[in-house]
Amino acid sequence: MRLLLVEDEKHVADFIARGLRAEWYAVDVAYDGNKGWELASKVDYDLVVLDLNLPGLNGMEFLRRLRGRGAKVPVLVLTVLDATDDKVESLQAGADDHLTKPFAFSELLARIKALLRRPAVVPANVLRIADLEVDRLKHQVHRAGRRIDLTAKEYALLEYLAAHPGQTVSRTMIIEHVWDQSFEGLTNIVDVYVRHLRAKIDDPFEHKLIRTVRGGGYCLSDEPGP
Ligand code: CA
């Protein structure tokens, strides 16, 4: 899951980003509206956390442009105390939820998880492909009833593949959703992580689930490969 955070108060932004990364989300941070818009225009984010009072492009205008473009990405708006008009206006402009500053990180996290659980974003809390189970709430993976320990990135990669069962996902799509902008272009990073993942979820089992699609990318599927 890759999130965009647009927040100009640097200490708040860095605090949120650190917390979210510790929860295994990939997070891009923009400290002003224009930079945020630039990122939102080129990356297909899974969720946006948007402060309303921003230098450059303000949050409300950001939101209107995003919805005007038809983007369905969930947006959680951050407002200041007593800004009731902002809440109403942002909901009308297409925000999915809002949170008043100051807030506890645990509340922000709970709201983000709730938005990401919506059916349009996430098909189910537990993804099942053959005897593989990916629990998106607990970040736990089981295969044939056996618990499999993954690192944060291995989990994020598997979750992305499992959310697109039977579909070929390209290396570019994987990088976009699993890594954030702090990632520095090792082009074979996806292949390296797929190898790690295979060692844990496929190698010990007869029935292999991760397929390499020549010239395409990877596919997690119950069907035998070509
Ligand atoms: Ca602000």
Side-chain angles (χ1 to χ4, degrees), residues 79-202:
T79 57
V80 287
L81 199 62
D82 293 333
T84 312
D85 290 351
D86 276 359
K87 286 178 194 166
V88 174
E89 203 183 337
S90 66
L91 290 171
Q92 284 170 347
D96 296 276
D97 197 2
H98 54 73
L99 193 56
T100 304
K101 293 185 201 175
F103 50 79
F105 179 76
S106 56
E107 186 175 4
L108 175 75
L109 184 62
R111 284 167 188 261
I112 287 175
K113 285 185 173 174
L115 287 174
L116 289 173
R117 273 204 302 274
R118 289 191 179 174
V121 184
V122 165
N125 290 336
V126 180
L127 304 171
R128 289 188 181 83
I129 290 96
D131 56 356
L132 175 75
E133 277 191 12
V134 180
D135 186 323
R136 312 178 78 146
L137 294 182
K138 297 184 190 147
H139 289 157
Q140 282 182 3
V141 175
H142 288 84
R143 185 154 185 203
R146 213 158 92 196
R147 168 85 182 267
I148 297 173
D149 287 319
L150 300 179
T151 65
K153 279 291 173 239
E154 288 164 2
Y155 172 83
L157 170 61
L158 178 63
E159 187 192 73
Y160 186 67
L161 290 170
H164 302 82
Q167 294 172 37
T168 299
V169 290
S170 68
R171 290 172 179 79
T172 310
M173 286 162 74
I174 293 171
I175 285 180
E176 266 206 23
H177 285 270
V178 177
W179 278 270
D180 54 37
Q181 59 185 1
S182 59
F183 162 73
E184 293 180 18
L186 269 173
T187 50
N188 68 340
I189 188 93
V190 173
D191 307 285
V192 170
Y193 274 87
V194 167
R195 211 179 309 136
H196 294 168
L197 202 50
R198 275 186 165 138
K200 293 181 179 178
I201 74 150
D202 268 349

Side-chain angles (χ1 to χ4, degrees), residues 29 42 46-47 55 79 94 115 130 136 152 171 182 208 213 222:
V29 183
K42 61 181 190 206
D46 298 297
L47 183 136
T79 57
L115 287 174
R136 312 178 78 146
R171 290 172 179 79
S182 59
K208 312 297 179 200
V213 182
D222 195 12

Side-chain angles (χ1 to χ4, degrees), residues 6-9 51-55 78 80 101:
V6 193
E7 164 64 82
D8 60 311
E9 285 170 71
D51 182 35
L52 284 187
N53 298 312
L54 291 168
L78 305 179
V80 287
K101 293 185 201 175

